[in-house]
Amino acid sequence: KSCAPAAAIMRSLLIAATFLCGGAIAQGTSKLYPPGWNKEATKPPMGWRSWNAFGNRIDEKTFEAAVDAITARVWNEPKVSLADAGYVRVGIDEGWENCSGTDPAGGMRQHDEAGFPLINVERFPDMKRLVAYGHSKGVKMGWYLNGCACGEAKERLPNYRGDVQRLAEFGFDAVKIDGCGAATNMTFYAQLMAATNKTYEIENCHWGVCGADRKFHNPDGASCPTEGWCPFNHFRTSGDINAGPMSWFANLQTTVRFLDASAPLSRPSCWAYPDMLEVGRVQGASFAWQRAHFGA
């Protein structure tokens, strides 16, 4: 669980730098990260992430309260918690970032020159302590990278490296990688994570776009796996969900193309998912419709 020696990480970086400097490996051609490569998410991940409830209006107290709520034994008799039922993940989403970097046009709006992510320390004064609090309650803690708040438009090798180094140093167990910034190379992220000698549950939030990603045209930024390429553990198949009564149902249909009866691309450690739940928030929905959403 400890970080790899610096020399091992640097060797990995030199190899992985070819993804940026020499052109990214095309989707599906790498044999290094087949489905199940990191043995994470062998069952569909269950937990809570902050965006649908709070948007970017979050701070460390939001997540301390979420950890407390998900582990509180207040349901049924005998009393059980959501964590007892398998909901053992709490994920930070948009809102932790500090967008005051020195070169916004040069890929340094939410990262410093060395590539380390800038944190809003008024909201999150001690990210490592927050992660440790979740762990003390038996909860796996997730982070959020390449987000939309700062939206860095230039891909930089140091930013990938800094993201993963902080991910390891803070002790996170999982990470959601959005598609708003230019750091969309999922194979490169996977290689850097592997070099830390710790595994992470990796969520690809690139909105269901197969082939090159939509905004930055990085061929390894695909939201979609292939038979032999899945450097992430779950992947978004749709655009964003909203609280409209049919949004979740329409998004659900986008998973169908990954569910072939004989050779599904959605499988253990490489799951298709149609964005997060809006249970309890679906506008005008009956109890049965909310339950259908939860059950789907």
Side-chain angles (χ1 to χ4, degrees):
K1 295 297 183 180
S2 61
C3 293
I9 295 177
M10 287 306 300
R11 284 195 297 271
S12 176
L13 290 175
L14 289 171
I15 296 169
T18 60
F19 296 161
L20 298 180
C21 301
I25 292 175
Q27 177 195 355
T29 62
S30 171
K31 304 300 183 184
L32 300 175
Y33 304 101
W37 68 275
N38 64 359
K39 298 180 174 59
E40 290 282 339
T42 56
K43 296 180 180 179
M46 300 195 303
W48 179 87
R49 189 173 282 278
S50 56
W51 179 258
N52 284 353
F54 295 103
N56 63 2
R57 302 174 300 279
I58 58 173
D59 59 25
E60 68 172 22
K61 295 187 183 303
T62 309
F63 297 94
E64 290 172 350
V67 167
D68 291 344
I70 210 168
T71 57
R73 290 192 166 101
V74 295
W75 305 100
N76 301 326
E77 291 293 343
K79 297 296 185 182
V80 296
S81 67
L82 288 168
D84 292 330
Y87 293 86
V88 294
R89 297 162 179 83
V90 167
I92 299 169
D93 210 283
E94 194 87 81
W96 63 267
E97 306 94 334
N98 175 350
C99 301
S100 64
T102 59
D103 187 5
M108 288 181 283
R109 187 180 182 204
Q110 192 254 307
H111 290 80
D112 64 20
E113 186 174 351
F116 292 113
L118 301 173
I119 296 172
N120 184 331
V121 294
E122 292 185 1
R123 293 185 177 191
F124 293 89
D126 191 339
M127 196 72 82
K128 187 173 182 178
R129 188 209 65 80
L130 177 59
V131 173
Y133 181 76
H135 290 168
S136 74
K137 297 293 189 81
V139 172
K140 295 182 178 181
M141 299 295 290
W143 208 15
Y144 171 82
L145 298 173
N146 199 46
C148 304
C150 305
E152 288 170 326
K154 183 176 180 179
E155 187 180 41
R156 293 180 73 237
L157 175 64
N159 292 1
Y160 286 96
R161 181 184 62 207
D163 283 348
V164 174
Q165 184 170 330
R166 289 291 188 257
L167 186 74
E169 290 173 349
F170 294 152
F172 281 106
D173 308 290
V175 60
K176 172 183 174 180
I177 301 174
D178 214 329
C180 292
T184 59
N185 191 315
M186 298 303 297
T187 304
F188 190 25
Y189 265 128
Q191 182 160 359
L192 292 173
M193 291 181 205
T196 70
N197 283 349
K198 176 182 175 178
T199 60
Y200 305 87
E201 187 180 284
I202 305 167
E203 176 181 346
N204 179 337
C205 183
H206 293 175
W207 316 309
V209 178
C210 297
D213 72 273
R214 181 183 298 160
K215 292 182 68 175
F216 300 100
H217 313 298
N218 185 334
D220 250 28
S223 189
C224 312
T226 67
E227 290 184 5
W229 180 83
C230 189
F232 35 83
N233 300 111
H234 40 131
F235 56 97
R236 269 276 290 276
T237 61
S238 69
D240 289 353
I241 195 172
N242 60 54
M246 294 302 295
S247 176
W248 73 265
F249 188 75
N251 276 11
L252 183 62
Q253 310 315 305
T254 66
T255 65
V256 172
R257 58 179 168 159
F258 303 103
L259 301 175
D260 181 83
S262 58
L265 290 179
S266 178
R267 54 206 141 157
S269 297
C270 184
W271 302 103
Y273 80 101
D275 205 0
M276 298 176 285
L277 298 176
E278 287 273 15
V279 172
R281 294 168 46 85
V282 180
Q283 297 168 356
S286 65
F287 176 79
W289 193 240
Q290 300 270 15
R291 185 172 60 184
H293 172 31
F294 189 79

